[in-house]
Amino acid sequence: MKISNAVFAGSSTVVSQKPEVRLPEFAFIGRSNVGKSSLINALTLTRLAKTASAPGKTRLVNHFLINNSWYLVDLPGYGYAKASDSERKAIEAVIRNYLNFSEELEMLFILIDCRHNVGKADMDFIKEVAGSTLSFAFIYTKADKMGPVAVARQVEGMNAQILAAVPELKELPPFFITSSESKKGREEVLDFIEKTLQNYAR
């Protein structure tokens, strides 16, 4: 897929505030500081999403209109340890409202840092999503921080860890290994979105 046009379309805290023009949505979520904004910018070759050195900056659901035909949706990060209880609950409410009520959501991409084993916050979220009707895929980020052999071995172990811990998963969902720095995995993710859109059109 070639992205010829990418623009910010609006922010919301509940689905009723989403952009009026309803189109297929591909949402990105992960732990705070997983590199979500950097990946979005790498996919679109823009600076659409604001990146920050401190985690937990995204508190709203941000819609970006891509090629006037679909939305890339930037969701708030989960598991931000430094947030207060009230802040965490507010962020969780925003996330759950979107996941539960956005009828246009076609695919949820769950981002996981490939340098570490799957943490509790990631696993808890995966278990919750696996028990729902949502379609989802994994994106392992920051692959440039390790050698290719080490990355492949690490991701294989993480996939096995997820399958062992989440009995609802009968098979592994699609997964991608990416780097925002080198653009590794960019074409694979965009091609996957394009194929999903083709199925949607049918």
Side-chain angles (χ1 to χ4, degrees):
M1 174 191 291
K2 180 181 178 181
I3 293 182
S4 56
N5 186 261
V7 296
F8 174 69
S11 297
S12 62
T13 55
V14 291
V15 293
S16 60
Q17 299 169 349
K18 289 198 314 181
E20 289 185 6
V21 178
R22 300 300 167 92
L23 295 168
E25 296 171 352
F26 295 81
F28 290 71
I29 194 169
R31 277 183 61 91
S32 297
N33 211 29
V34 74
K36 180 162 49 70
S37 296
S38 295
L39 178 65
I40 289 171
N41 291 341
L43 290 174
T44 58
L45 299 180
T46 66
R47 300 185 68 179
L48 277 179
K50 295 180 180 179
T51 59
S53 57
K57 293 298 183 183
T58 305
R59 302 296 178 95
L60 304 172
V61 175
N62 295 311
H63 276 70
F64 301 103
L65 178 61
I66 310 297
N67 293 347
N68 295 311
S69 61
W70 59 279
Y71 289 111
L72 189 160
V73 182
D74 183 10
L75 295 175
Y78 54 78
Y80 182 39
K82 292 186 178 180
S84 67
D85 286 343
S86 60
E87 287 176 320
R88 275 197 296 272
K89 288 178 181 177
I91 292 171
E92 288 174 4
V94 170
I95 294 171
R96 282 201 167 86
N97 179 271
Y98 175 80
L99 295 181
N100 288 336
F101 301 112
S102 182
E103 296 179 357
E104 290 73 31
L105 176 59
E106 283 297 305
M107 181 65 58
L108 177 67
F109 291 102
I110 303 173
L111 279 60
I112 306 171
D113 190 332
C114 76
R115 299 173 298 173
H116 313 290
N117 289 334
V118 184
K120 184 179 185 303
D122 287 316
M123 198 67 81
D124 288 346
F125 184 78
I126 292 168
K127 288 177 180 178
E128 184 174 341
V129 173
S132 72
T133 59
L134 294 174
S135 297
F136 64 97
F138 299 136
I139 293 182
Y140 292 108
T141 63
K142 305 187 180 184
D144 58 290
K145 307 300 183 184
M146 302 168 64
V149 175
V151 169
R153 185 184 303 117
Q154 177 71 4
V155 169
E156 182 180 0
M158 295 166 80
N159 285 338
Q161 182 187 357
I162 291 169
L163 284 174
V166 187
E168 292 86 354
L169 285 179
K170 304 305 179 186
E171 60 182 10
L172 196 69
F175 70 92
F176 305 90
I177 300 173
T178 66
S179 164
S180 300
E181 295 293 327
S182 69
K183 306 299 187 293
K184 175 181 174 62
R186 177 180 183 271
E187 294 300 327
E188 289 83 353
V189 173
L190 291 178
D191 286 349
F192 179 74
I193 291 174
E194 186 172 37
K195 289 177 182 177
T196 305
L197 285 170
Q198 291 170 352
N199 292 332
Y200 177 87
R202 296 194 187 104

